Amino acid sequence: MMADTPPENSAQMASSSYRLPALDQDFLLGDSMRGVRFLLEYAKAEEALRAWGVRSTIVVFGSARVKPGTSWYETAREFGRIASERGGALDGKVGEVRDNVIATGGGPGIMEAANRGATDVGAPSVGFNITLPHEQAPNAWSTPELTFRFHYFAMRKMHLAMRANALVVFPGGFGTFDELFELLTLRQTDKAPPIPIVLVDRAYWTSIIRFEALVEHGMIARTDLDLMGYADDAEGIWQELLSRGLKPHQDLE
């Protein structure tokens, strides 16, 4: 008797269930893998930051709509230079420890200006980009190997906050407010270590938000106003950070 011909297994080979999970994009992008995607967004950036020795950052927020040549843009650029020269971003090679590295949301406007200031003095800087329908593409000044893209705002915020030695907030809109109040809440509730928070251009911030009214209505304690300070120029920002406890690289050893 002749042996039976083996059945065709092409249907099994072509089935999505047969794909290796790591190579199955439909599976990886499915609802059940959301936690895994969170982990991937954490791990990829974390690995690169450690490879570059980025121990701490100075986070700079502000509007993506601010144009080069304006006073806010030029102040952010000058501050990026000052912080990179004096803070410790230049104190190591790849793999060695660096402190107070400029970190931004990676886009245009104020973010571009701060990254650009770091580049002006040959320092690395970080760009934590996020996928958005507009106003978001990586600027040309963040260090390419430290330029990241996130899908989840939550994970992006975590990376912005977890190494922050200081927060510098330039004028901006909803996104800037979101990041500012996130960090203020973490500080108010002691969910983040004490870090200096400086708002740039007192006239802008006091015209947009009347923080005193929150005290008057009993929504915050008066001491909560001490969580932040103000400055109007690049040197003033640096001095305000130092007065509020920022330590340059050599003082952290």
Side-chain angles (χ1 to χ4, degrees), residues 225-239:
L225 297 179
D226 296 332
L227 294 173
M228 55 196 164
Y230 297 89
D232 292 312
D233 56 50
E235 185 64 38
I237 298 168
W238 181 250
Q239 294 303 322

Side-chain angles (χ1 to χ4, degrees), residues 9-21 24 26:
N9 68 350
S10 58
Q12 287 78 14
M13 295 284 287
S15 172
S16 62
S17 63
Y18 188 71
R19 297 175 199 153
L20 288 171
D24 187 345
D26 292 334

Side-chain angles (χ1 to χ4, degrees), residues 41-42 45-46 49 54-62 101-107 111 115 126-130 148 150 152-168 175-176 178-180 182-183 186 192 195:
E41 291 204 346
Y42 169 79
E46 181 70 11
L49 289 164
V54 180
R55 179 166 61 179
S56 62
T57 59
I58 294 176
V59 176
V60 180
F61 293 144
V101 175
I102 292 292
T104 77
M111 298 172 281
N115 288 130
V126 184
F128 291 116
N129 293 262
I130 191 161
F148 308 105
F150 294 87
Y152 297 106
F153 268 107
M155 188 53 65
R156 182 199 194 209
K157 286 181 178 181
M158 181 174 175
H159 271 295
L160 281 164
M162 63 186 293
R163 282 180 168 81
N165 263 356
L167 173 65
V168 177
T176 302
D178 178 44
E179 302 289 0
L180 168 61
E182 175 95 8
L183 268 295
L186 290 174
I195 63 170

Side-chain angles (χ1 to χ4, degrees), residues 50-152:
R50 290 189 181 192
W52 274 73
V54 180
R55 179 166 61 179
S56 62
T57 59
I58 294 176
V59 176
V60 180
F61 293 144
S63 176
R65 303 183 184 193
V66 174
K67 303 299 183 184
T70 63
S71 61
W72 290 333
Y73 185 101
E74 297 308 321
T75 298
R77 182 176 179 180
E78 176 63 18
F79 174 73
R81 287 195 289 263
I82 290 172
S84 297
E85 287 181 318
R86 305 180 194 175
L90 287 169
D91 289 349
K93 299 177 182 178
V94 174
E96 297 179 357
V97 173
R98 300 174 189 269
D99 283 305
N100 300 314
V101 175
I102 292 292
T104 77
I110 293 297
M111 298 172 281
E112 172 189 304
N115 288 130
R116 187 173 181 178
T119 300
D120 287 342
V121 294
S125 66
V126 184
F128 291 116
N129 293 262
I130 191 161
T131 301
L132 294 174
H134 57 85
E135 288 185 352
Q136 185 61 47
N139 68 63
W141 306 103
S142 59
T143 300
E145 295 84 358
L146 297 175
T147 300
F148 308 105
R149 181 167 64 162
F150 294 87
H151 174 75
Y152 297 106

Side-chain angles (χ1 to χ4, degrees), residues 165-210:
N165 263 356
L167 173 65
V168 177
V169 191
F170 280 78
F174 290 163
T176 302
F177 289 6
D178 178 44
E179 302 289 0
L180 168 61
F181 283 106
E182 175 95 8
L183 268 295
L184 283 174
T185 301
L186 290 174
R187 281 294 305 114
Q188 183 193 48
T189 57
D190 286 326
K191 288 292 187 180
I195 63 170
I197 299 172
V198 175
L199 309 187
V200 181
D201 192 338
R202 182 190 289 267
Y204 175 86
W205 287 107
T206 54
S207 70
I208 298 298
I209 305 172
R210 197 163 77 87

